[in-house]
Amino acid sequence: MHRLRSFVPALDWGRRYDRAAFGADALAAVIVTIMLVPQSLAYAMLAGLPPEAGLYASILPIVLYALFGTSRTLAVGPVAVLSLMTAAAAGRVAEPGSPEFVAAALVLALLSGAMLLAMGVLRLGVLANFLGHPVISGFITASGILIAASQLRHVLGIEAHGHTLPELALSLGANLGDVHGPTLAIGAGALGFLFWVRRGLGPLLRRLGVAERPAAIAVRVGPILAVAGATLAVWMLRLDLAGVRIVGDVPAGLPPLTLPRFAPDLWLALAGSAAAIAVIGFVESVSVAQTLAAKRRERIDPDGELIGLGAANIGAAFTGGFPVTGGFARSVVNFDAGAATQAAGILTALGLLGASLFLTPLLHYLPDAVLAATIIVAVLSLVDLAILRRAWAYSGADFAAVAVTILATLLLGVEPGVAAGVLVSLATHLWRTSRPHVAVVGRVPGTEHFRNVERHHVETDPAVLSVRIDESLYFANAQGLEAHVLALAAERPALRHVVLMCSAVNAVDLSALESLEALVARLRDMGVALHLSEVKGPVMDRLARTDFLAHLTGQVFLSQSEAARALSA
Amino acid sequence: MHRLRSFVPALDWGRRYDRAAFGADALAAVIVTIMLVPQSLAYAMLAGLPPEAGLYASILPIVLYALFGTSRTLAVGPVAVLSLMTAAAAGRVAEPGSPEFVAAALVLALLSGAMLLAMGVLRLGVLANFLGHPVISGFITASGILIAASQLRHVLGIEAHGHTLPELALSLGANLGDVHGPTLAIGAGALGFLFWVRRGLGPLLRRLGVAERPAAIAVRVGPILAVAGATLAVWMLRLDLAGVRIVGDVPAGLPPLTLPRFAPDLWLALAGSAAAIAVIGFVESVSVAQTLAAKRRERIDPDGELIGLGAANIGAAFTGGFPVTGGFARSVVNFDAGAATQAAGILTALGLLGASLFLTPLLHYLPDAVLAATIIVAVLSLVDLAILRRAWAYSGADFAAVAVTILATLLLGVEPGVAAGVLVSLATHLWRTSRPHVAVVGRVPGTEHFRNVERHHVETDPAVLSVRIDESLYFANAQGLEAHVLALAAERPALRHVVLMCSAVNAVDLSALESLEALVARLRDMGVALHLSEVKGPVMDRLARTDFLAHLTGQVFLSQSEAARALSA
């Protein structure tokens, strides 16, 4: 039973559910629903899918996450970055707007859901850690720019396509003569209003004496006013007849039961993209969930999150949705509105179900330009070019990872961007550890401390060379160390002993062991003995499994000072 | 001048050259030449090239290495593994035996030479370190098996082709009915004789009172007897008319001037293979050169070796050769025969030039079966399956790298084998460092030592959690550490302070910094302060460039005992 409950956290919180929690959850659900209706339509548009797909992607997935996820406050549904990735991936195998495109989005949701589930069952959540902060920051920033650029066409009322910044810029530039006045007026007005809501409404409400939390919620829900106002304006002035693009008929009804198409070729073509969507979605969601959980001293379980998100995506695949994950904005609103348990999610799903049953006629005259404006305002808040400056100040390697990720994402597209960022950060990490800091050390007079001869006034013995290695020894640095020590030894004709001080060596792999053996043999050919000092327990255990210690020409000393005492004597 | 000399070591040793050194070098050159004539023909056959290519690949390349290389005793020329890799790579773009195949081998030599040269100028020799010992051992062993399998057809006198073990086995099996008796007799006889030379001749000579060095040289030069005997037998019995395959006409003359074909498509198709050949050749050569240099307290410079080997390969490309590198067997013979300087190489090249001008008629009746036998005997000495057992005893990660390299090389071919091995060793390294050893520590009573609470009887304070991290903090482990510490903190309701003991943290990258900042914030939300202790100088320097220390809720202590004293007070 305990085991089952660990897979289905709902069995745990469900037993202790009470009226107070229900009240809190219901209030949060109403607020989140109001926020989600336009957002869902907008992200469906961004993904290149019909508007109702956005609603569908927010119903069953929320319920499934509520049952299987471990965060009490995470709100699952379509998010900007995954919508962009879906558009890019599905766009490679089908024409946007075609039934094949919709089918590809379902397959992406199914595959990424299955991958998340598998990673959760195999407890491989740790794999997501290979997306370092520079890569994630760079990717989110570049995606924000790409998304904003891709939505400009709706605000301008022109055609433009592309999955990279140069494509989008060229395409926008070529059609700039076709700008549609009324659309631009609505779009620019919505942009202005939404930016004001985000920047100016909060301070205004607080000046008027509204408390912090309601003010924050009002800022999040404010965009509904732009949606309502613009819809009303288009309907009353019949601007759609003047060429303003509108959402149009949204079928009312329950989410449909959709079977993702089983076509091995299609699955294979989309597998890489699904993996990228799974990992990016997971990283984004876990970071939101962890932030919120820590605020209430709650815990989330990354492997449990994989299962919750996997179930949510599989749910999306079977109910006409597309890839989903835990979103930052909606989760913060849910949290601020006081959601107590995952039941808030279930109630939100009921709210959205109601919206898709009864509210769709009201959405008919909603102009695309306003949806695009809500997307642009949302994603521009993700753009953080200051990360470039921060990374530059911190280290060249981190700067390279950020810069390559941003450039590759903007110039080549979302998936090459992530891949390039991961490769650069792995390469710089390996490069750094392959050239460890190695210091010749000597005794600080009158103490048992041994420090770098180049930084401190220390005592050394011409017959004894003590070398401290500030890195675990593994294949990438083992031969370098060997060559380095041999070079140091060749410079010292009076040398009789070399001591490797291993206080920072956390591991020694087989390549490093071979290098150490070669070093022993080559130093022996020079008439020099090799000793070790301050070897850690786990490293010593491993060396003891081999005959290295038997072939060692010197000794293993517990401390460097002991080694110096014994060898200088 | 000093700068020039560092690129052309010959300017250095050449000025101090004297009669004694010349005598030593000349003797070594004669012995190496005798050994190299049949070996060169054999490796050309293995590479799928006409026999004279083997001689040509040993003339100008040796001279160029002598001028630019840094090892005094390395002997450069065709070697078994590179010949196999050449056959596989050229075989992908052309039919063996065709002019296109010969052209592809020239392009491989040119590209790998240019890559080696570029790596040398950019001082990127360190890149070769990413081939760990398990990968190299596994690759050499599997290549040895592949090479031996590929040569069996010459010993059996049948047709068989393939670049993987299953292909070769199936192909040999299908044609086993065609075994050619006289060829098999010659081949089996040569195999038996050569194995006896390798195993039995040395002990016999020593029993007869021959000194160690001449005996070792005799073992190396012994195969010439098999070559001479078999050639004589075929010629006298005219076994070629009975169907025994022979080397046939080898054109006599100087190495031709060949211009590698400039065809961008071909270059692109071969670039990956050339890179693999460059790296494998470099690793093999440097390890031989280092072993020999250490025996005489000489030094080699890996970046200088890149330049020497690069020049040698470019030389091979322009004189009808194919990829070359420093070979183990020939270098050891050169060393044992007393070569004093690189002039021994130049004299060897003159010897081989003489052979290609005047000796080629003598090679006409040399049977392919004997060449194949010399290859088989040479490569089987490279096969070291015991590495599997050693790696297994040492660690699962190293075993995985060896096993995957061997299997992938045998089943998929040489380049996929190396690539798979490198990927597995990188992945296991990253996996290990992504899950560092993290210990909760407490004070050993009466001391200032802090040790793992699970292994030692130590004193702890319920308000203070001290955690030691045995790894540098970087993107792959940063979030795991954050989650781990948060989980530990969530279990301890009385907790007020967390101390991260950083004695084994050699670096903190930007991702880890973000995780530490998140940890500070999340612990602060729990009412817990985060402190650091024993932070290394370089790490502290880097942290000081950021505002991390300003946001830190706790302090940075010089030592863990100081932290415990201050926080428990």
Side-chain angles (χ1 to χ4, degrees), chain B residues 373-459:
Chain B
T374 64
I375 295 175
I376 291 173
V377 173
V379 297
L380 284 185
S381 73
L382 303 176
V383 172
D384 171 26
L385 287 169
I387 182 68
L388 278 168
R389 194 179 38 67
R390 288 190 61 200
W392 176 257
Y394 193 67
S395 84
D398 287 306
F399 176 75
V402 178
V404 166
T405 307
I406 290 181
L407 285 178
T409 304
L410 291 179
L411 301 181
L412 305 175
V414 281
E415 290 168 25
V418 180
V422 170
L423 286 180
V424 167
S425 51
L426 286 178
T428 54
H429 169 70
L430 292 168
W431 182 253
R432 183 184 63 70
T433 58
S434 76
R435 307 167 63 113
H437 182 240
V438 174
V440 175
V441 295
R443 182 201 300 274
V444 179
T447 73
E448 297 205 337
H449 289 298
F450 283 75
R451 303 300 292 266
N452 193 335
V453 295
E454 290 177 8
R455 296 199 188 182
H456 302 267
H457 285 285
V458 293
E459 300 167 351

Side-chain angles (χ1 to χ4, degrees), chain B residues 51-327:
Chain B
E52 62 272 21
L55 291 173
Y56 299 157
S58 304
I59 298 175
L60 186 60
I62 292 183
V63 174
L64 289 171
Y65 179 83
L67 295 177
F68 296 103
T70 64
S71 164
R72 298 193 159 200
T73 44
L74 192 73
V76 167
V79 303
V81 171
L82 293 202
S83 300
L84 176 72
M85 294 178 81
T86 299
R92 270 206 317 278
V93 299
E95 199 60 36
S98 67
E100 287 74 24
F101 189 91
V102 176
L106 294 178
V107 169
L108 283 169
L110 180 68
L111 291 180
S112 61
M115 289 171 185
L116 288 163
L117 209 55
M119 283 170 70
V121 171
L122 298 172
R123 311 194 76 75
L124 288 178
V126 65
L127 281 183
N129 294 346
F130 287 93
L131 283 183
H133 183 82
V135 177
I136 296 171
S137 303
F139 178 70
I140 298 278
T141 288
S143 302
I145 296 171
L146 271 187
I147 292 169
S150 76
Q151 297 307 303
L152 269 183
R153 64 188 170 104
H154 294 297
V155 173
L156 299 171
I158 60 179
E159 283 300 312
H161 294 285
H163 293 298
T164 69
L165 198 58
E167 286 169 12
L168 285 165
L170 282 177
S171 181
L172 282 171
N175 296 324
L176 216 51
D178 306 339
V179 168
H180 187 249
T183 302
L184 179 57
I186 293 172
L191 273 177
F193 175 75
L194 291 170
F195 272 119
W196 174 78
V197 165
R198 196 166 271 263
R199 298 280 162 84
L201 181 58
L204 175 69
L205 291 175
R206 280 190 292 274
R207 270 200 305 279
L208 297 175
V210 179
E212 188 66 36
R213 255 183 54 196
I217 292 172
V219 169
R220 296 290 181 177
V221 182
I224 198 75
L225 293 179
V227 169
T231 305
L232 216 60
V234 172
W235 174 56
M236 292 187 3
L237 306 174
R238 288 312 302 262
L239 290 175
D240 55 320
L241 300 181
V244 171
R245 295 239 180 152
I246 57 173
V247 166
D249 284 329
V250 180
L254 291 170
L257 179 69
T258 48
L259 283 177
R261 188 177 299 176
F262 182 72
D265 284 0
L266 180 66
W267 285 36
L268 212 63
L270 293 175
S273 302
I277 287 172
V279 172
I280 296 277
F282 174 63
V283 169
E284 184 173 347
S285 182
V286 160
S287 105
V288 175
Q290 257 169 354
T291 306
L292 299 181
K295 290 198 184 188
R296 292 191 189 162
R297 260 200 181 200
E298 293 168 355
R299 276 191 62 198
I300 60 147
D301 166 22
D303 292 311
E305 285 300 282
L306 283 166
I307 292 174
L309 293 174
N313 275 290
I314 292 173
F318 284 97
T319 54
F322 56 101
V324 294
T325 195

